[in-house]
Amino acid sequence: MDWLNDFAPLSHQASDTLPELMLTHLNSWGVVTLIGDDAKSYLQGQVTCDVVQLDASESTFGAHCDAKGKVWSIFRLFHHQNGYALFEPKSSIEKQLAEIKKYAIFSKVTIEQSDSILLGVMGEKADQWIDTLSEQQGNVRAIEGGTAVRIDAQRWLLVLNQNVAVALVESAQATCVAESLWCRFDIEAALPIVEQEEQTQHIPQALNLQALGGISFKKGCYTGQETVARAKYRGINKRAMYIVKGHAANALEEHTELERAVGENWRSAGKLMAHYRFNDGETIGLVVLPNNLEADTPLRLAHQPESIWAIQPLPYSLDDE
């Protein structure tokens, strides 16, 4: 598919003005679909969010956990083509799909990884362009060939069949950019990105899911609920996800190790869940840290100890009320 070669890195600094309309192919992301008479009830018993209350015009964050409340995946859930879709990093799907299908044999539901093409729409004119694809006005809209889902004020996800995706890319008057830019915006919005390496490492609250509306404390039972409830009502969670920023002399490997200052010494702090490096070396990332850490605690890259990093303010409150 030659059209895939059109998505090139956009060299820029954090302060630069970006194109008004950008398209990217979200190749490292995937979608799991659930279709069938029991899809709603089955999913309701598997995930942290309230599937029953999800309006067809809205999406919600949610988590799928193991029996100990540790996260297999964090996803964005929405109605899609007579069923439901979970949008999540592709690397997490293999294990998560096997887990969520474990008891499906007892229900009328088909669960599988979709072969849809995923496109990201970004920029000031994203809304305007999406309006040309659908007469609907919700945050989740059925469009030709699939579904459009609002991510934030200037971003949309498109889940499409291949023919429609190719036609849109070829006809859109948009700048085609590499999907790393999508990651930049996820980091700046502090949206958790659970890749395969992070699976079953954290409970949902350690990934700020309560602050993103991804946990219902009023719905019925689901896998891992006991741990998630204890974290809220007994205060057992001691970690949270933070945005961090610093300088990287060169491109970083995935899951680069961070260290934090402890007096005059340095101690392992955690690995970057995701990161984005601007063309001047400024780099931002997401990392899970102790939630009682002072906001001015110095951080550094384990392999670049001369580069001091800092915790940045979150764009939302960590309160779960």
Side-chain angles (χ1 to χ4, degrees):
M1 292 186 288
D2 291 340
W3 65 278
L4 293 177
N5 297 322
D6 294 337
F7 301 98
L10 184 67
S11 180
H12 67 290
Q13 298 180 18
S15 59
D16 288 349
T17 300
L18 296 174
E20 292 181 322
L21 184 63
M22 297 170 284
L23 275 180
T24 190
H25 176 221
L26 298 172
N27 188 50
S28 66
W29 291 79
V31 163
V32 172
T33 58
L34 295 92
I35 298 174
D37 293 344
D38 296 335
K40 181 189 294 185
S41 58
Y42 184 79
L43 194 55
Q44 181 79 340
Q46 296 290 319
V47 300
T48 60
C49 54
D50 195 334
V51 183
V52 172
Q53 298 299 318
L54 182 62
D55 189 85
S57 65
E58 299 293 339
S59 69
T60 182
F61 271 105
H64 176 215
C65 303
D66 66 12
K68 297 180 180 179
K70 297 296 182 70
V71 170
W72 283 114
S73 70
I74 284 187
F75 51 79
R76 184 178 292 271
L77 169 69
F78 52 93
H79 291 260
H80 174 64
Q81 295 183 334
N82 299 316
Y84 294 92
L86 311 177
F87 171 63
E88 60 190 84
K90 191 179 291 182
S91 71
S92 71
I93 289 180
E94 180 180 359
K95 291 182 178 179
Q96 188 257 342
L97 185 59
E99 290 297 321
I100 205 168
K101 290 174 69 173
K102 269 187 175 179
Y103 309 106
I105 190 172
F106 304 112
S107 300
K108 295 179 181 179
V109 59
T110 300
I111 308 172
E112 59 188 9
Q113 183 173 355
S114 172
D115 60 1
S116 295
I117 300 295
L118 307 183
L119 299 178
V121 185
M122 301 169 281
E124 293 181 2
K125 291 189 175 179
D127 276 7
Q128 181 179 330
W129 189 67
I130 293 296
D131 285 341
T132 68
L133 305 180
S134 172
E135 295 182 356
Q136 298 178 0
Q137 293 299 308
N139 291 323
V140 176
R141 309 180 188 182
I143 61 175
E144 181 185 357
T147 304
V149 183
R150 182 190 295 278
I151 302 299
D152 54 37
Q154 295 189 12
R155 282 196 299 165
W156 286 79
L157 163 69
L158 302 183
V159 184
L160 302 168
N161 67 47
Q162 182 175 314
N163 290 339
V164 172
V166 173
L168 281 180
V169 171
E170 292 178 345
S171 64
Q173 299 299 308
T175 302
C176 292
V177 298
E179 70 170 336
S180 56
L181 193 63
W182 184 272
C183 181
R184 170 197 166 175
F185 295 137
D186 274 349
I187 293 169
E188 290 176 339
L191 305 183
I193 303 170
V194 177
E195 301 277 1
Q196 188 176 68
E197 185 167 325
E198 298 283 343
Q199 288 182 300
T200 66
Q201 297 299 306
H202 309 288
I203 65 171
Q205 287 96 324
L207 300 166
N208 304 357
L209 199 61
Q210 78 285 358
L212 294 166
I215 305 174
S216 170
F217 294 101
K218 299 178 180 179
K219 61 176 281 187
C221 295
Y222 58 87
T223 306
Q225 181 193 25
E226 185 177 350
T227 298
V228 177
R230 281 204 310 267
K232 173 179 172 63
Y233 296 111
R234 297 186 184 179
I236 66 170
N237 178 51
K238 304 300 181 184
R239 302 180 72 77
M241 188 184 69
Y242 295 94
I243 303 171
V244 293
K245 182 170 72 172
H247 187 272
N250 41 53
L252 301 181
E253 295 182 359
E254 292 185 3
H255 309 294
T256 294
E257 184 79 27
L258 276 181
E259 297 178 330
R260 61 185 175 97
V262 181
E264 297 182 357
N265 301 311
W266 293 86
R267 182 178 300 170
S268 175
K271 295 180 179 180
L272 291 174
M273 302 177 67
H275 69 272
Y276 185 85
R277 184 174 182 268
F278 296 92
N279 63 9
D280 59 356
E282 179 181 310
T283 306
I284 55 175
L286 296 174
V287 63
V288 175
L289 299 169
N291 58 16
N292 62 353
L293 208 60
E294 295 293 335
D296 59 354
T297 300
L299 305 169
R300 71 182 187 183
L301 299 175
H303 71 289
Q304 292 181 26
E306 71 285 353
S307 178
I308 303 300
W309 285 42
I311 298 172
Q312 304 299 299
L314 290 170
Y316 49 71
S317 168
L318 289 179
D319 293 336
D320 57 4
E321 298 300 330

